[in-house]
Amino acid sequence: MNPSELKALILKDMQLFYDEYEIPPPGTTVGTPWSKELIAAELEKMRPCLIDPFLTECLVQDTHDQLNANPPIVRNCWVVAIDGSYGLLFDPEAGDFALACQSPSREWGTIGVRGDAVTTFLAR
């Protein structure tokens, strides 16, 4: 997948997520379910965070074992969105999106939140 296809896929997924979102029934979630209005507002916050994807090395540290791996687990991932020190990365090897933080030395490292583009980004 090339960068423009990846960005187009994310934009399509954002619209599809909104179109198909239904508030979960009471008692089926931890915490308070988000309203359709809140979903729309968060998707509008996500839109300007999308960037032209670029490849970068990322430390995979989603689990305790990965965090303490020696040598560290490093993968080439696509950075697709940035919001402050948080990034949404596409991990081609795993085939999913990962939430990552950027260290002061500018290294990206995953933080244990993975899945589709929208819900992974909204978890930041």
Side-chain angles (χ1 to χ4, degrees):
M1 185 174 309
N2 69 44
S4 60
E5 291 171 336
L6 187 54
K7 190 171 183 178
L9 175 69
I10 294 167
L11 289 167
K12 180 181 170 192
D13 285 351
M14 289 170 66
Q15 185 62 51
L16 187 62
F17 184 85
Y18 177 78
D19 291 344
E20 294 181 352
Y21 181 77
E22 293 182 17
I23 299 172
T28 62
T29 64
V30 175
T32 305
W34 287 13
S35 67
K36 188 98 173 185
E37 293 79 18
L38 182 55
I39 292 293
E42 289 299 312
L43 289 173
E44 283 308 308
K45 290 179 187 174
M46 181 179 178
R47 197 170 306 280
C49 295
L50 295 175
I51 60 170
D52 291 329
F54 64 90
L55 273 174
T56 191
E57 288 188 341
C58 177
L59 297 171
V60 177
Q61 43 196 21
D62 297 309
T63 67
H64 184 267
D65 288 343
Q66 290 171 339
L67 185 60
N68 293 304
N70 191 10
I73 301 167
V74 178
R75 290 188 188 150
N76 283 321
C77 295
W78 292 97
V79 179
V80 297
I82 298 175
D83 186 14
S85 63
Y86 286 105
L88 179 66
L89 281 61
F90 178 69
D91 181 344
E93 188 172 323
D96 62 8
F97 291 87
L99 193 60
C101 282
Q102 195 172 38
S103 71
S105 63
R106 312 288 292 164
E107 282 185 310
W108 288 103
T110 62
I111 60 172
V113 178
R114 286 182 172 262
D116 65 273
V118 175
T119 57
T120 301
F121 183 83
L122 296 185
R124 73 198 188 293

